[in-house]
């Protein structure tokens, strides 16, 4: 009996050893698969998080290495950064292209506008009134001639026939001043026998101190309209004589022209410098010339001209005695201007003069 019981137990153990591998093997396989791939397994909770916050924040698990050795997210970031850089580069190139195109159009516009200014002619004989552009020498007469020619397209004339002026492009210089073919006629004095031939005048006034310095520069430099003399030249009897000579001439021009024709146009050189467009417009209106906007813009863009003296010297060549004399001349002119209802001389004329 005991033997039969032992045999039965043995057979049960044998069956158990046969069944046990069949039961445990699948579990071991599943456990091994889980351990090998758990980095890529998303739980139910993580799956819910994926739908709530988006794919980039679904899990805190590390990025899976790609075959190129870079994590997935890093690769995406690099591609996005390259795309952004490319977009910025394209924008910069478009801006540069637009700028270059604008500059080219601007240069073409300037070239076209400048060509408009270059077109000048004599007016038909007898078609223009005879108007004097009169000033003390050194007051910017030639510069204003350049402005008027450029803005009107009509040459200016002169009573002097200066070959240097003619060679510089003022081709009305040798024209008969009374022929009615020029817009204005340059003059630096008032002579009754000459003035009677003019219909009217533009009287150009500049600070007499600076006009004297400018003309003395021209005189000592061989009649060069843009040269500059040395400081030592502004002294001695010659300089003193020049001051008094020019002072009387300055008074005579203004006083006698107003006496001949109270309707003459008074223009201040300093105002032309400050607001060229406005003052040039006044002169064109006085001369009964229609303003061409394109020509006016061209003139303003090229208002310097060829005869404009630039001085780098800084000193005052006038003594106290000289100043007293010139200031007395200015007081007299203010009385004359007031008697004809004209504005007084600018106060800046009495300020310190630096050459």
């Amino acid at each position: 009996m005991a033997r039969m019981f032992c045999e039965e137990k043995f057979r049960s153990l044998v069956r158990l050893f046969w069944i046990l591998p069949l039961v445990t093997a699948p579990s071991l396989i599943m456990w091994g698969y889980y351990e090998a791939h758990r980095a890529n397994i998303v739980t139910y909770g993580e799956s819910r998080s994926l739908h709530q916050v988006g794919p980039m924040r679904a899990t805190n698990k590390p990025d899976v290495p790609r075959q190129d050795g870079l994590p997935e997210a890093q690769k995406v970031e690099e591609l996005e950064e390259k795309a952004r850089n490319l977009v910025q580069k394209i924008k910069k190139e478009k801006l540069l292209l637009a700028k270059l195109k604008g500059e080219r159009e601007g240069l073409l516009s300037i070239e076209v506008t400048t060509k408009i200014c270059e077109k000048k002619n004599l007016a038909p004989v007898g078609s223009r009134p005879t108007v004097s552009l009169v000033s003390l020498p050194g007051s910017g007469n030639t510069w204003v001639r350049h402005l008027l020619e450029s803005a009107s397209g009509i040459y200016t004339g002169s009573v002097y026939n200066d070959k240097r002026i003619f060679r510089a492009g003022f081709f009305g210089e040798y024209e008969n001043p009374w022929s009615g073919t020029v817009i204005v006629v340059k003059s630096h004095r008032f002579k009754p026998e000459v003035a009677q031939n003019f219909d009217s005048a533009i009287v150009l006034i500049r600070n007499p101190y600076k006009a004297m310095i400018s003309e003395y520069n021209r005189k000592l430099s061989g009649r060069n309209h843009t040269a500059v003399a040395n400081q030592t030249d502004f002294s001695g009897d010659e300089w003193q004589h020049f001051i008094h000579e020019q002072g009387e001439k300055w008074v005579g021009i203004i006083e006698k022209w107003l006496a001949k024709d109270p309707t003459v146009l008074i223009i201040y050189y300093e105002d032309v410098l400050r607001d060229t467009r406005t003052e040039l417009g006044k002169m064109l209106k006085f001369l009964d010339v229609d303003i061409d906007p394109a020509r006016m813009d061209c003139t303003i863009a090229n208002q310097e001209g060829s005869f404009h003296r630039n001085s780098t010297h800084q000193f005052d060549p006038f003594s106290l005695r000289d100043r007293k004399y010139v200031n007395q001349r200015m007081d007299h002119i203010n009385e004359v201007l007031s008697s004809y209802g004209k504005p007084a001389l600018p106060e800046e004329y009495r300020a310190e003069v630096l050459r």
Side-chain angles (χ1 to χ4, degrees):
M1 189 69 165
R3 184 178 176 184
M4 291 178 63
F5 177 77
C6 291
E7 289 177 355
E8 185 64 28
K9 288 289 185 182
F10 178 75
R11 283 195 292 270
S12 297
L13 290 172
V14 171
R15 285 195 295 271
L16 179 62
F17 281 115
W18 278 99
I19 294 172
L20 185 61
L22 295 176
V23 174
T24 59
S27 299
L28 291 173
I29 292 171
M30 292 180 66
W31 180 81
Y33 182 85
Y34 171 77
E35 288 295 325
H37 298 279
R38 64 179 178 176
N40 298 327
I41 297 175
V42 180
T43 65
Y44 174 74
E46 291 171 339
S47 177
R48 285 173 59 84
S49 176
L50 177 65
H51 291 286
Q52 292 173 359
V53 301
M56 298 303 293
R57 297 173 56 189
T59 176
N60 293 326
K61 299 184 186 308
D63 296 327
V64 180
R66 296 168 55 90
Q67 291 182 356
D68 54 12
L70 293 175
E72 183 75 20
Q74 184 178 348
K75 188 68 175 178
V76 171
E77 289 178 0
E78 288 183 357
L79 291 174
E80 290 177 347
E81 181 65 24
K82 289 180 179 179
R84 284 193 294 269
N85 292 338
L86 182 59
V87 169
Q88 291 297 322
K89 184 177 180 180
I90 293 173
K91 287 182 178 179
K92 290 180 179 178
E93 290 180 351
K94 285 183 177 180
L95 290 173
L96 180 60
L97 182 62
K99 182 179 179 181
L100 292 173
K101 183 179 179 182
E103 290 177 352
R104 180 178 179 274
E105 291 176 351
L107 290 173
L108 291 175
S109 175
I110 291 172
E111 183 180 354
V112 170
T113 305
T114 304
K115 288 182 178 179
I116 292 174
C117 288
E118 293 173 355
K119 295 179 181 178
K120 304 167 191 173
N121 295 287
L122 292 171
V125 175
S127 64
R128 296 293 313 168
T130 307
V131 180
S132 176
L133 177 64
V134 60
S135 67
L136 184 71
S139 298
N141 196 303
T142 305
W143 177 54
V144 172
R145 286 179 66 182
H146 158 73
L147 296 177
L148 288 171
E149 287 192 1
S150 180
S152 68
I154 304 172
Y155 285 120
T156 61
S158 171
V159 297
Y160 299 110
N161 296 335
D162 188 332
K163 64 180 180 181
R164 290 185 179 178
I165 297 290
F166 180 82
R167 290 171 181 171
F170 292 87
F171 297 132
E173 183 70 14
Y174 289 136
E175 192 71 12
N176 183 347
W178 327 119
S179 63
T181 58
V182 293
I183 189 171
V184 293
V185 178
K186 175 181 178 178
S187 175
H188 285 316
R189 65 184 65 192
F190 181 93
K191 286 185 175 182
E193 64 274 18
V194 176
Q196 66 181 2
N197 296 314
F198 288 105
D199 297 311
S200 188
I202 296 175
V203 180
L204 180 63
I205 301 175
R206 185 184 185 184
N207 184 330
Y209 288 111
K210 294 191 175 182
M212 291 177 188
I213 293 172
S214 179
E215 175 60 11
Y216 203 61
N217 273 317
R218 190 183 73 90
K219 180 181 178 181
L220 294 185
S221 56
R223 304 292 176 180
N224 189 323
H225 287 257
T226 58
V228 178
N230 297 318
Q231 180 175 351
T232 55
D233 296 323
F234 291 83
S235 61
D237 294 339
E238 185 178 357
W239 170 237
Q240 293 300 313
H241 175 74
F242 181 82
I243 292 174
H244 286 77
E245 179 187 58
Q246 296 298 302
E248 295 308 311
K249 184 183 287 187
W250 183 71
V251 169
I253 288 171
I254 301 170
E255 187 174 34
K256 292 176 182 178
W257 264 109
L258 281 170
K260 176 186 182 298
D261 181 6
T263 66
V264 296
L265 179 65
I266 302 294
I267 290 290
Y268 290 104
Y269 170 84
E270 291 77 13
D271 289 340
V272 182
L273 278 178
R274 276 189 291 264
D275 191 353
T276 306
R277 186 183 296 271
T278 299
E279 298 304 307
L280 185 52
K282 289 180 184 178
M283 289 185 275
L284 292 175
K285 183 178 180 181
F286 179 80
L287 295 166
D288 196 24
V289 174
D290 293 333
I291 297 175
D292 183 334
R295 275 194 166 274
M296 180 65 81
D297 290 341
C298 170
T299 302
I300 300 304
N302 184 38
Q303 59 183 281
E304 188 70 12
S306 303
F307 286 88
H308 199 181
R309 184 180 289 105
N310 294 312
S311 174
T312 57
H313 301 283
Q314 294 291 311
F315 68 93
D316 184 349
F318 296 93
S319 66
L320 292 177
R321 183 180 177 182
D322 298 334
R323 282 186 165 279
K324 182 178 179 180
Y325 166 75
V326 177
N327 287 342
Q328 286 175 345
R329 299 293 84 200
M330 286 197 286
D331 290 338
H332 176 70
I333 287 300
N334 272 333
E335 292 176 1
V336 172
L337 292 170
S338 177
S339 67
Y340 287 98
K342 304 292 184 181
L345 298 171
E347 282 298 321
E348 66 189 73
Y349 283 8
R350 297 179 184 272
E352 181 182 6
V353 178
L354 292 177
R355 175 177 174 273

PDB file of all heavy atoms in Angstrom, residues 214-226:
ATOM      1  N   SER A 214      35.032 139.316 -49.967  1.00  0.00           N
ATOM      2  CA  SER A 214      34.945 138.469 -51.150  1.00  0.00           C
ATOM      3  C   SER A 214      35.538 139.159 -52.377  1.00  0.00           C
ATOM      4  O   SER A 214      36.302 138.564 -53.146  1.00  0.00           O
ATOM      5  CB  SER A 214      33.471 138.105 -51.395  1.00  0.00           C
ATOM      6  OG  SER A 214      33.350 137.306 -52.544  1.00  0.00           O
ATOM      7  N   GLU A 215      35.207 140.438 -52.561  1.00  0.00           N
ATOM      8  CA  GLU A 215      35.719 141.167 -53.728  1.00  0.00           C
ATOM      9  C   GLU A 215      37.218 141.421 -53.613  1.00  0.00           C
ATOM     10  O   GLU A 215      37.947 141.376 -54.612  1.00  0.00           O
ATOM     11  CB  GLU A 215      34.966 142.488 -53.874  1.00  0.00           C
ATOM     12  CG  GLU A 215      35.486 143.401 -54.970  1.00  0.00           C
ATOM     13  CD  GLU A 215      35.436 142.778 -56.364  1.00  0.00           C
ATOM     14  OE1 GLU A 215      34.803 141.705 -56.537  1.00  0.00           O
ATOM     15  OE2 GLU A 215      36.032 143.367 -57.300  1.00  0.00           O
ATOM     16  N   TYR A 216      37.703 141.655 -52.400  1.00  0.00           N
ATOM     17  CA  TYR A 216      39.147 141.871 -52.226  1.00  0.00           C
ATOM     18  C   TYR A 216      39.920 140.585 -52.525  1.00  0.00           C
ATOM     19  O   TYR A 216      41.013 140.624 -53.082  1.00  0.00           O
ATOM     20  CB  TYR A 216      39.424 142.345 -50.797  1.00  0.00           C
ATOM     21  CG  TYR A 216      40.722 143.106 -50.651  1.00  0.00           C
ATOM     22  CD1 TYR A 216      40.934 144.297 -51.340  1.00  0.00           C
ATOM     23  CD2 TYR A 216      41.737 142.640 -49.815  1.00  0.00           C
ATOM     24  CE1 TYR A 216      42.125 145.003 -51.201  1.00  0.00           C
ATOM     25  CE2 TYR A 216      42.932 143.338 -49.677  1.00  0.00           C
ATOM     26  CZ  TYR A 216      43.119 144.520 -50.378  1.00  0.00           C
ATOM     27  OH  TYR A 216      44.295 145.221 -50.253  1.00  0.00           O
ATOM     28  N   ASN A 217      39.346 139.442 -52.159  1.00  0.00           N
ATOM     29  CA  ASN A 217      39.935 138.153 -52.527  1.00  0.00           C
ATOM     30  C   ASN A 217      40.079 138.057 -54.041  1.00  0.00           C
ATOM     31  O   ASN A 217      41.125 137.672 -54.565  1.00  0.00           O
ATOM     32  CB  ASN A 217      39.045 137.003 -52.035  1.00  0.00           C
ATOM     33  CG  ASN A 217      39.347 136.582 -50.609  1.00  0.00           C
ATOM     34  OD1 ASN A 217      40.506 136.477 -50.223  1.00  0.00           O
ATOM     35  ND2 ASN A 217      38.317 136.333 -49.832  1.00  0.00           N
ATOM     36  N   ARG A 218      39.004 138.395 -54.749  1.00  0.00           N
ATOM     37  CA  ARG A 218      39.017 138.301 -56.215  1.00  0.00           C
ATOM     38  C   ARG A 218      40.032 139.268 -56.823  1.00  0.00           C
ATOM     39  O   ARG A 218      40.773 138.918 -57.744  1.00  0.00           O
ATOM     40  CB  ARG A 218      37.613 138.603 -56.753  1.00  0.00           C
ATOM     41  CG  ARG A 218      37.439 138.303 -58.235  1.00  0.00           C
ATOM     42  CD  ARG A 218      36.048 138.702 -58.703  1.00  0.00           C
ATOM     43  NE  ARG A 218      35.933 140.151 -58.775  1.00  0.00           N
ATOM     44  CZ  ARG A 218      36.222 140.873 -59.844  1.00  0.00           C
ATOM     45  NH1 ARG A 218      36.715 140.290 -60.931  1.00  0.00           N
ATOM     46  NH2 ARG A 218      36.075 142.183 -59.845  1.00  0.00           N
ATOM     47  N   LYS A 219      40.093 140.468 -56.276  1.00  0.00           N
ATOM     48  CA  LYS A 219      41.002 141.488 -56.805  1.00  0.00           C
ATOM     49  C   LYS A 219      42.463 141.084 -56.654  1.00  0.00           C
ATOM     50  O   LYS A 219      43.263 141.218 -57.587  1.00  0.00           O
ATOM     51  CB  LYS A 219      40.745 142.800 -56.076  1.00  0.00           C
ATOM     52  CG  LYS A 219      41.644 143.944 -56.538  1.00  0.00           C
ATOM     53  CD  LYS A 219      41.347 145.214 -55.750  1.00  0.00           C
ATOM     54  CE  LYS A 219      42.291 146.340 -56.184  1.00  0.00           C
ATOM     55  NZ  LYS A 219      42.044 147.587 -55.419  1.00  0.00           N
ATOM     56  N   LEU A 220      42.831 140.570 -55.474  1.00  0.00           N
ATOM     57  CA  LEU A 220      44.236 140.220 -55.216  1.00  0.00           C
ATOM     58  C   LEU A 220      44.651 138.896 -55.849  1.00  0.00           C
ATOM     59  O   LEU A 220      45.832 138.595 -55.919  1.00  0.00           O
ATOM     60  CB  LEU A 220      44.492 140.164 -53.706  1.00  0.00           C
ATOM     61  CG  LEU A 220      44.364 141.499 -52.954  1.00  0.00           C
ATOM     62  CD1 LEU A 220      44.772 141.308 -51.496  1.00  0.00           C
ATOM     63  CD2 LEU A 220      45.236 142.584 -53.588  1.00  0.00           C
ATOM     64  N   SER A 221      43.682 138.109 -56.279  1.00  0.00           N
ATOM     65  CA  SER A 221      44.011 136.801 -56.865  1.00  0.00           C
ATOM     66  C   SER A 221      43.884 136.814 -58.387  1.00  0.00           C
ATOM     67  O   SER A 221      43.620 135.788 -59.011  1.00  0.00           O
ATOM     68  CB  SER A 221      43.095 135.719 -56.269  1.00  0.00           C
ATOM     69  OG  SER A 221      41.732 136.057 -56.465  1.00  0.00           O
ATOM     70  N   GLY A 222      44.049 137.984 -58.977  1.00  0.00           N
ATOM     71  CA  GLY A 222      44.024 138.075 -60.434  1.00  0.00           C
ATOM     72  C   GLY A 222      42.651 137.922 -61.031  1.00  0.00           C
ATOM     73  O   GLY A 222      42.488 137.274 -62.067  1.00  0.00           O
ATOM     74  N   ARG A 223      41.634 138.498 -60.376  1.00  0.00           N
ATOM     75  CA  ARG A 223      40.259 138.458 -60.861  1.00  0.00           C
ATOM     76  C   ARG A 223      39.694 137.049 -60.915  1.00  0.00           C
ATOM     77  O   ARG A 223      38.781 136.751 -61.684  1.00  0.00           O
ATOM     78  CB  ARG A 223      40.153 139.100 -62.249  1.00  0.00           C
ATOM     79  CG  ARG A 223      40.668 140.527 -62.317  1.00  0.00           C
ATOM     80  CD  ARG A 223      39.793 141.478 -61.538  1.00  0.00           C
ATOM     81  NE  ARG A 223      40.323 142.834 -61.523  1.00  0.00           N
ATOM     82  CZ  ARG A 223      39.729 143.858 -60.905  1.00  0.00           C
ATOM     83  NH1 ARG A 223      38.612 143.662 -60.259  1.00  0.00           N
ATOM     84  NH2 ARG A 223      40.275 145.057 -60.920  1.00  0.00           N
ATOM     85  N   ASN A 224      40.228 136.163 -60.067  1.00  0.00           N
ATOM     86  CA  ASN A 224      39.715 134.796 -59.984  1.00  0.00           C
ATOM     87  C   ASN A 224      38.486 134.789 -59.081  1.00  0.00           C
ATOM     88  O   ASN A 224      38.555 135.201 -57.930  1.00  0.00           O
ATOM     89  CB  ASN A 224      40.801 133.870 -59.414  1.00  0.00           C
ATOM     90  CG  ASN A 224      40.414 132.416 -59.511  1.00  0.00           C
ATOM     91  OD1 ASN A 224      39.260 132.055 -59.335  1.00  0.00           O
ATOM     92  ND2 ASN A 224      41.395 131.571 -59.793  1.00  0.00           N
ATOM     93  N   HIS A 225      37.371 134.294 -59.612  1.00  0.00           N
ATOM     94  CA  HIS A 225      36.107 134.379 -58.881  1.00  0.00           C
ATOM     95  C   HIS A 225      36.024 133.425 -57.698  1.00  0.00           C
ATOM     96  O   HIS A 225      35.096 133.516 -56.894  1.00  0.00           O
ATOM     97  CB  HIS A 225      34.932 134.101 -59.834  1.00  0.00           C
ATOM     98  CG  HIS A 225      34.673 135.230 -60.777  1.00  0.00           C
ATOM     99  ND1 HIS A 225      33.630 136.119 -60.621  1.00  0.00           N
ATOM    100  CD2 HIS A 225      35.335 135.624 -61.905  1.00  0.00           C
ATOM    101  CE1 HIS A 225      33.648 137.006 -61.611  1.00  0.00           C
ATOM    102  NE2 HIS A 225      34.672 136.723 -62.403  1.00  0.00           N
ATOM    103  N   THR A 226      36.949 132.494 -57.566  1.00  0.00           N
ATOM    104  CA  THR A 226      36.869 131.523 -56.467  1.00  0.00           C
ATOM    105  C   THR A 226      38.130 131.464 -55.617  1.00  0.00           C
ATOM    106  O   THR A 226      38.205 130.676 -54.674  1.00  0.00           O
ATOM    107  CB  THR A 226      36.600 130.101 -57.020  1.00  0.00           C
ATOM    108  OG1 THR A 226      37.640 129.751 -57.931  1.00  0.00           O
ATOM    109  CG2 THR A 226      35.258 130.054 -57.734  1.00  0.00           C
TER     110      THR A 226
END
